[in-house]
Amino acid sequence: MVIAVVVGTRPEIIKMAPVVRACAARGLPYLLLHTGQHYSFELDGVFFRELDLPAPHHNLEVGSGSQAYQIGAIVAGLEPILARERPDVLLVEGDTNSVLAAALTAQKMGIEVGHVEAGLRSYDRRMPEEINRILADHLSEHLFAPTEHARGILRAEGVAESRIHVTGNTVVDELLRQRPRAERPELLERFGVRRGAYALATVHRAENTDDEARLRNVFQGLADAARALGIPLLAALHPRTTARLEALGLEVERAVRVLPPLGYLDFLGLHAGAALMLTDSGGLQEEACTLRVPCVTLRDNTERPESVEVGANLLAGADPARIVECARAMAGRPRDWPNPFGDGRSGERIVDLLARD
Ligand code: UD1
Ligand code: UDP
């Protein structure tokens, strides 16, 4: 039994780390395959180093480009590798172009696909991620749903019950494992903030970066929220966002302290001590909920409604006044919600389910 584990971007590296570790701990042979969709050290290499992951067995190095280019290049690059290695199952995680392309290649070659984080839906078909996750789910033989809610979605789409397994989300595994290393006493000092007295933000979704009016509004909302709460706001920006701000000549107000993308340990340590998270990230909605840090989501919809339902998250969209209103409402909220995303043993569960079959 050989499991091929595919990664392509920052969140996939983080969320597949527990799966790789579970394979290693059980002595199961595995192949780590990197599409190279992310390649800058701060979106890629830093996570391999900090999470003690082995170097990938193969890296397709597809890099940046249009969606069609990325998908085409991954399909073409992966086929000869899979033909040579013939893994028994190929695992993908999440909803990126790497996920769709790798799942499609394996399925076409008669290799079973397992989808980690199956059954998420935003019901917004303008998002590339929504198309990727729908297709990946329906290309898969093994669907590892993080929650009962996700299982219900798959069931309603006609996926056979026997193929769906509720495992929790592997993001919780990695967070719980790394938290003690991440919360170092000197960290907050290094960033010039005090525990519980600052907000943290990220922005990278295409729907926000590629629409000038929306991008301006999001940054206006962040600056207004920081002023309204009277606390510093640190924004660790994806290179996509920095490039767009530069191209538009858009100056970020001083109330927002712009940072480069951070490594996992610095980011997690800052997140754990924050009063509030403001983000359009998918994984950060889950991490904030797990850390019991209130979250304001800079989107009009979410495929993670569980965090909204337990009271950990509010959808603010991109309207500055609404961002401020949500920030005020969330900053003072009691942090006593249950975590709907699992118990931190999802990676082990996924590998045990595969090894059993
Ligand atoms: C991708 C995923 C998104 C995920 C995000 C995680 C798709 C459609 N999007 O978005 O779902 O939330 O990863 O972070 O798959 N760039 C660099 N260095 C890199 C990679 C990218 O500078 O290592 C810059 C390039 O200018 C590139 C841009 O970021 O054009 C966008 O990269 P891309 O891989 O197309 O999508 P992400 O925005 O990273
Ligand atoms: N993250 C990080 N450094 C940063 C921003 C995010 O390590 O500067 C981590 C974060 O802790 C989370 C993951 O990246 O685990 C989320 O990835 P991202 O927001 O890029 O993608 P999404 O989850 O939206 O697909």
Side-chain angles (χ1 to χ4, degrees):
M1 164 88 181
V2 177
I3 301 177
V5 178
V6 175
V7 296
T9 67
R10 166 168 77 184
E12 293 161 68
I13 301 167
I14 295 165
K15 288 174 168 179
M16 280 301 206
V19 174
V20 169
R21 251 183 235 117
C23 288
R26 282 153 183 71
L28 276 177
Y30 68 91
L31 278 170
L32 186 55
L33 306 179
H34 197 327
T35 67
Q37 180 174 343
H38 281 181
Y39 48 86
S40 301
F41 178 74
E42 65 272 22
L43 293 185
D44 174 25
V46 66
F47 300 103
F48 280 84
R49 191 172 74 187
E50 290 188 344
L51 307 184
D52 299 319
L53 287 169
H57 296 91
H58 299 275
N59 190 329
L60 304 178
E61 295 180 357
V62 297
S64 302
S66 70
Q67 293 198 59
Y69 159 74
Q70 283 180 331
I71 292 167
I74 295 167
V75 171
L78 197 54
E79 185 184 29
I81 293 170
L82 295 183
R84 220 170 34 244
E85 305 274 8
R86 290 306 306 180
D88 298 282
V89 59
L90 175 135
L91 286 183
V92 290
E93 193 287 329
D95 54 19
T96 65
N97 291 337
S98 295
V99 168
L100 168 58
L104 185 59
T105 314
Q107 206 280 344
K108 292 287 180 193
M109 295 178 73
I111 296 167
E112 282 187 4
V113 178
H115 189 200
V116 178
E117 206 174 84
L120 274 63
R121 297 289 181 270
S122 66
Y123 300 106
D124 180 353
R125 284 193 168 237
R126 289 168 307 180
M127 292 177 69
E129 291 87 357
E130 182 73 354
I131 305 304
N132 292 342
R133 57 174 86 96
I134 292 170
L135 294 175
D137 280 343
H138 289 273
L139 287 166
S140 294
E141 185 60 32
H142 310 276
L143 293 101
F144 301 109
T147 64
E148 284 298 334
H149 178 84
R151 187 212 294 270
I153 287 174
L154 294 170
R155 210 186 255 150
E157 290 182 9
V159 177
E161 194 68 49
S162 59
R163 286 157 56 191
I164 312 170
H165 308 281
V166 175
T167 58
N169 194 308
T170 56
V171 79
V172 179
D173 307 22
E174 203 53 29
L175 184 153
L176 295 181
R177 180 183 175 91
Q178 304 297 347
R179 188 175 180 172
R181 284 172 73 199
E183 290 191 277
R184 291 146 293 164
E186 90 291 351
L187 177 72
L188 302 192
E189 213 172 288
R190 178 148 50 92
F191 284 92
V193 289
R194 284 184 300 113
R195 190 174 175 79
Y198 63 94
L200 189 59
T202 76
V203 180
H204 78 280
R205 282 279 156 200
E207 74 214 60
N208 284 331
T209 60
D210 296 3
D211 177 332
E212 180 176 348
R214 248 188 110 91
L215 190 64
R216 283 183 188 277
N217 279 338
V218 163
F219 278 89
Q220 188 63 55
L222 292 179
D224 291 349
R227 278 188 293 261
L229 298 177
I231 55 177
L233 185 147
L234 311 182
L237 296 186
H238 188 293
R240 174 182 200 131
T241 315
T242 312
R244 280 291 290 166
L245 292 172
E246 273 170 23
L248 295 169
L250 205 162
E251 294 226 347
V252 178
E253 287 188 56
R254 283 178 48 155
V256 177
R257 292 193 202 160
V258 172
L259 301 172
L262 301 176
Y264 188 68
L265 296 178
D266 279 0
F267 195 85
L268 178 58
L270 281 176
H271 193 177
L276 187 66
M277 167 58 70
L278 299 107
T279 189
D280 57 10
S281 160
L284 283 171
Q285 293 172 62
E286 296 153 353
E287 287 188 356
C289 192
T290 304
L291 288 167
R292 293 224 168 85
V293 172
C295 184
V296 172
T297 295
L298 306 165
R299 290 177 44 193
D300 300 322
N301 51 54
T302 181
E303 56 292 316
R304 275 97 173 162
E306 297 90 339
S307 66
V308 178
E309 276 154 25
V310 298
N313 188 10
L314 277 180
L315 292 179
D319 173 46
R322 168 97 184 130
I323 294 171
V324 172
E325 187 192 325
C326 291
R328 282 192 201 277
M330 288 310 292
R333 181 162 291 194
R335 303 166 166 219
D336 54 0
W337 53 79
N339 184 5
F341 296 114
D343 60 2
R345 302 192 51 201
S346 309
E348 296 166 30
R349 247 175 233 125
I350 289 165
V351 172
D352 287 344
L353 282 161
L354 289 174
R356 187 195 68 183
D357 283 353

